[in-house]
Amino acid sequence: REVAELSCRKAHYAAEQLTAIEGVDLLYDQPFFKEFALRCPNVPAWTTAARAAGFDIGPELRLIDASQPEGVLVAVTERRTRAEIDRLAAACGTCQ
């Protein structure tokens, strides 16, 4: 139970930090547990910046559904720290 609660809280924290970046928002207005989809202006740049910072986000949703060219899936587990989530947001925030 503790692992599930940590994952959920950290995923919601990550969603808050990432959607604070200009032009980024949740792709769906639905409840989520530890994975969420974002709409962002330059998904390939995001995934590249995230990987360079040590994070493996994705997949890019356009690879699954061509109607979602600005979508990317983000998953957060209980093992990620706030500092790591903040570092991910900082890395992705440079892709504007």
Side-chain angles (χ1 to χ4, degrees):
R1 179 179 175 161
E2 182 181 344
V3 169
E5 289 174 355
L6 280 171
S7 294
C8 187
R9 281 198 306 266
K10 290 179 180 192
H12 283 262
Y13 177 75
E16 289 173 11
Q17 297 308 303
L18 293 168
T19 58
I21 299 168
E22 185 177 336
V24 178
D25 54 19
L26 289 172
L27 189 58
Y28 304 107
D29 184 25
Q30 298 292 319
F32 62 89
F33 175 54
K34 66 177 187 173
E35 295 179 329
F36 53 93
L38 292 175
R39 178 182 299 112
C40 55
N42 189 343
V43 174
W46 265 58
T47 57
T48 299
R51 285 189 183 107
F55 301 95
D56 186 20
I57 64 170
E60 297 177 25
L61 297 182
R62 68 180 173 79
L63 301 174
I64 300 165
D65 180 355
S67 71
Q68 299 295 341
E70 294 184 335
V72 64
L73 185 66
V74 179
V76 181
T77 69
E78 78 285 355
R79 300 183 83 182
R80 289 296 182 181
T81 65
R82 271 186 177 248
E84 289 173 324
I85 294 167
D86 292 343
R87 193 164 44 95
L88 171 63
C92 291
T94 64
C95 299
Q96 299 304 312

